[in-house]
Amino acid sequence: MLTEYIDSTERAAQIIREGGLVAFPTETVFGIGADATNAEAVKKLFAAKGRPGNNPLIVHLDDGGHWSRAATELPEVAEAMLDAFCPGPLTLVLPKLPTISEQVTAGLMTVGVRIPDHPIAREILRVAAVPVAAPSANRSGRPSGTTWQAVAEDLDGRIDAIFTADSTSIGIESTVVDCSGPSPVVLRPGAITLEQLQQVAPQTREFGVGENHHMVVSGEQVNSPGILHPHYQPNAEVLIVEVPPVGISVEVSAVSAFCGMEGFDGLDAFALSRIFGSLEDYAAGFYEFLREVDRQSFQKVFVQTAADEGIGWALRDRQRRAAGG
Ligand code: AMP
Ligand code: MG
């Protein structure tokens, strides 16, 4: 397939309405959009990414008031979160409306709903006027695309169009919070922190390590899909370190990369390195740095753990997953 490179929101919306696949920017990462009510389009989307069919997609809408285009019900906690944080980097898991294709939710009776806070995304969604399933724009398992060039690297020839916009500002996927049960549970950390969610819904808790999140699939209980899939991984081996890192020989540094927020004696020995000036910059540049490590074919990348505050909460999660943990 010949991929079109576009900068028209009208054209993007038209392709989606016709059942095609378009990569477009959001404030988190680039997404690949497909009409969530069109099962054929959604099947093509899974194929283009090479995504396992049991990993559900998030449905995007242009306005919080349109939640009823994807969900049957907006529980009180979800409404409070929607009012406080949407549009924004937050996905609410809600009871699914039947018109949303079962392909989208991998057979779950719930659906993840998000209203992105990005003018191009919102305009595409407004003109398309259908709920749009949009996973991160990358081949399954790879670091998410935060620049249109990264998206092209993974998906040129596999999707109908790529919107050539600026790189994304947050650089880490949305916080996912399940609001379909008795109390809200964070399934994936993101830019909206647990503390922020607890300010509107104090009973919100984080999904426990080793815990099985049970969700209902057509009446049956299954473990949460998506959470366990390998994700965000470059080809290079990712090793998480504190600074200063210990026990790395000059020979290893010479064929390795490093990224973090603090310099140290020995940093110059690394073949490729990047020191970010803030946690926000670290989060925004992390995936692109991993991709650069692969472009230059390094075998190893040493990654300084992010501080556990603000966006660092989500960045630490992605660092762990990039390292295969
Ligand atoms: P991605 O599209 O790559 O950002 O991944 C979306 C993630 O959102 C999935 O891997 C799931 O962890 C989560 N998700 C989406 N829909 C649901 C749902 N209905 N229930 C639980 N988690 C969901
Ligand atoms: Mg993804």
Side-chain angles (χ1 to χ4, degrees):
M1 146 188 325
L2 190 66
T3 300
E4 265 182 72
Y5 288 79
I6 61 173
D7 59 6
S8 155
T9 51
E10 295 280 337
R11 178 72 188 129
Q14 182 192 20
I15 294 170
I16 290 170
R17 288 189 65 90
E18 289 171 355
L21 308 179
V22 184
F24 61 83
T26 78
E27 79 279 29
T28 58
V29 299
F30 277 74
I32 314 170
D35 180 349
T37 64
N38 179 335
E40 285 310 310
V42 175
K43 272 188 211 156
K44 282 195 289 179
L45 178 46
F46 275 91
K49 279 198 63 141
R51 183 175 175 109
N54 65 350
N55 190 359
L57 307 178
I58 293 169
V59 170
H60 294 66
L61 301 167
D62 71 309
D63 191 288
H66 293 157
W67 63 266
S68 59
R69 293 181 184 178
T72 55
E73 185 196 335
L74 189 67
E76 212 172 298
V77 279
E79 187 174 2
M81 289 178 185
L82 190 78
D83 286 347
F85 306 114
C86 299
L90 181 67
T91 296
L92 302 170
V93 173
L94 303 171
K96 180 180 101 66
L97 199 71
T99 49
I100 300 296
S101 162
E102 292 223 335
Q103 305 281 335
V104 169
T105 60
L108 297 172
M109 297 178 78
T110 55
V111 59
V113 175
R114 183 162 111 79
I115 295 93
D117 185 15
H118 190 291
I120 294 171
R122 291 190 76 182
E123 184 60 13
I124 293 170
L125 294 168
R126 191 187 66 76
V127 177
V130 289
V132 171
S136 55
N138 51 275
R139 293 295 292 273
S140 186
R142 302 268 306 146
S144 304
T146 56
T147 66
W148 70 260
Q149 293 91 340
V151 176
E153 220 166 57
D154 276 20
L155 296 164
D156 183 77
R158 304 184 68 90
I159 61 178
D160 296 285
I162 295 173
F163 201 106
T164 57
D166 290 343
S167 55
T168 58
S169 56
I170 295 175
I172 300 275
E173 306 77 5
S174 61
T175 306
V176 177
V177 57
D178 185 353
C179 295
S180 69
S183 64
V185 180
V186 174
L187 301 180
R188 177 173 78 181
I192 303 295
T193 63
L194 183 62
E195 293 72 30
Q196 283 177 291
L197 294 171
Q198 286 171 339
Q199 275 167 17
V200 266
Q203 66 278 43
T204 306
R205 65 182 183 88
E206 200 173 348
F207 179 70
V209 176
E211 189 179 346
N212 280 334
H213 185 67
H214 290 283
M215 291 188 290
V216 180
V217 178
S218 315
E220 283 172 63
Q221 297 278 318
V222 294
N223 288 341
S224 173
I227 294 170
L228 299 171
H229 290 289
H231 228 136
Y232 321 113
Q233 290 175 344
N235 299 325
E237 183 187 4
V238 176
L239 296 135
I240 298 177
V241 293
E242 303 289 333
V243 162
V246 287
I248 303 173
S249 67
V250 175
E251 290 73 31
V252 170
S253 302
V255 293
S256 302
F258 175 90
C259 70
M261 291 185 57
E262 286 164 79
F264 52 88
D265 283 346
L267 176 64
D268 290 348
F270 283 90
L272 174 71
S273 66
R274 178 96 189 256
I275 302 298
F276 295 96
S278 67
L279 263 179
E280 285 71 26
D281 287 350
Y282 196 1
F286 182 62
Y287 290 143
E288 187 53 28
F289 186 78
L290 295 183
R291 284 178 171 271
E292 186 56 28
V293 166
D294 279 354
R295 286 180 201 120
Q296 298 191 30
S297 303
F298 290 106
Q299 301 290 303
K300 285 187 197 320
V301 51
F302 293 88
V303 167
Q304 183 187 2
T305 37
D308 190 4
E309 56 189 49
I311 189 73
W313 176 52
L315 179 54
R316 285 163 73 96
D317 170 75
R318 304 311 190 273
Q319 290 179 329
R320 265 198 307 274
R321 290 161 183 265

